[in-house]
Structure formats: C-alpha cells, structure tokens
Amino acid sequence: MNKKNENQHTVELTATDIDSLPPLPKPTVRTVQNAAADESSSPVHDNPLTRESRLHSGPEDLAPGTVIDDRYEVQERLGVGAMGTVFLVKHLRLGKSFALKMVNPELARQKEFVERFKREANACSRLDHHNCISVTDFGQTKEGSLYLVMEYVAGISLADLTATGPVPLSDAFEYTRQILIGLDH
C-alpha cells in the first residue's frame, strides 16, 4: 500500500499468476466484431475522446472516398501514431470494413524499414488467435506508400478507457489477462 494515497495499490503479477487467478466478471466495455453491421451503437463513434483524436488533420490524411491500391476506399481516419495513420476503409469488392494503416512516408523511404515491414506483416498475417488482430493484407502503392490491412474491431482504446479515471481492479486484471494470452500466442 502506498503511504501517499491509501486507495492506490501496487500489484506485481507474472503470466503464470494471471492464469491461476479465479475467473473475473466480464469487462464493462463492449466491442463489436463487425462494425459495419452495428456501426450506430459502436463506442468508437460516440466517444468524444476518440472522435477528437480523429478530427485533427495531418499531412498523412487521406480524404474519404480515396481509393488505395484499387481495392480499399477510405471512409474516415481513426487515428494517428508515430508509424503512420489508421483509416477505416471498405473493401470495394467484398463490401467489408477493415482498418488500414498507412505507414509514415519518412519510414517508407528507408530500404531497411521496408524490408522489416514486409517480414513483420507476413509474420503477423499468420497469427490466428481471438486476442490478436488479424492482418489480412499488406502492400505498397504505385506511389511507394506502405500499408497494412487488419480486421476492424470497433471499441475504445485502453488510453481512452483510462482517460476519465481509474479502471476497476477486476476489469484491469481481465484486460491484462487477455493481453498476456494474446502475447503468449
């Protein structure tokens, strides 16, 4: 127990410890596996923190309607990170929604990065576990932009979840357990 704040606890656990814990109630955050089928109730569209992070424009922005590699039509920008920008896209032939990450152009110009990106994308595409996002495609556009296509799972990020305050301990244990199971795979 921390003397500064009696409500704050420090817990150290290993993956083995997590597996030996008794089952906890399901976390309170709802995710939707097929966002296209249930987009109106998806928390990603209602969460002001997530919505705000999507509204900032950047040089890596692609306008809705932009078609990538003759297959993926940009619907909206979902987020921006150090490696690139993630967009909600619709596969033109399948009519299915995916998340597509466009790699930062600075990185795409580095030959070593391009080779590593291709190896890692290929390796990630072989992962098959419900706690890991499925990678379905990757490539390089005619203009040289690298992209990675993943399943789209609507929901809120852990950062958004914790932005409004602490997560209940039982939920935190369950999130951690699920993350460790995915990492173990």
Side-chain angles (χ1 to χ4, degrees):
M1 178 134 351
N2 188 329
K3 292 183 181 181
K4 290 181 183 176
N5 182 347
E6 291 186 16
N7 294 327
Q8 184 178 357
H9 300 274
T10 301
V11 179
E12 292 183 23
L13 298 171
T14 65
T16 307
D17 295 328
I18 294 289
D19 285 337
S20 67
L21 290 172
L24 295 168
K26 293 288 182 201
T28 56
V29 174
R30 179 180 154 280
T31 60
V32 179
Q33 290 298 326
N34 184 351
D38 193 16
E39 198 167 286
S40 62
S41 64
S42 169
V44 78
H45 295 285
D46 298 320
N47 184 319
L49 295 170
T50 304
R51 188 177 335 106
E52 180 63 26
S53 67
R54 290 192 328 245
L55 294 177
H56 299 294
S57 63
E60 59 281 297
D61 245 356
L62 296 175
T66 301
V67 177
I68 300 166
D69 221 7
D70 299 324
R71 288 194 295 274
Y72 303 102
E73 181 181 358
V74 173
Q75 305 295 299
E76 67 177 291
R77 184 174 78 175
L78 298 174
V80 179
M83 272 191 60
T85 305
V86 179
F87 298 93
L88 175 64
V89 297
K90 182 176 171 183
H91 192 286
L92 293 174
R93 288 176 283 224
L94 299 175
K96 187 175 176 181
S97 294
F98 291 95
L100 183 143
K101 179 185 282 188
M102 291 295 289
V103 174
N104 181 326
E106 302 268 328
L107 295 172
R109 287 191 278 276
Q110 301 172 17
K111 185 178 178 182
E112 309 82 34
F113 178 85
V114 172
E115 293 307 313
R116 189 176 78 215
F117 170 82
K118 289 177 181 178
R119 281 192 312 272
E120 290 178 7
N122 205 335
C124 288
S125 72
R126 292 191 297 271
L127 289 176
D128 185 18
H129 191 273
H130 65 276
N131 289 46
C132 300
I133 291 290
S134 297
V135 171
T136 59
D137 195 8
F138 65 95
Q140 195 163 11
T141 66
K142 295 171 191 132
E143 299 79 27
S145 298
L146 293 171
Y147 65 89
L148 180 73
V149 182
M150 304 159 278
E151 75 177 299
Y152 172 63
V153 180
I156 61 173
S157 69
L158 286 175
D160 287 348
L161 182 67
T162 59
T164 57
V167 175
L169 191 57
S170 62
D171 287 355
F173 278 141
E174 181 58 18
Y175 298 142
T176 302
R177 188 179 76 78
Q178 294 294 327
I179 291 167
L180 289 173
I181 290 169
L183 287 171
D184 183 54
H185 176 74

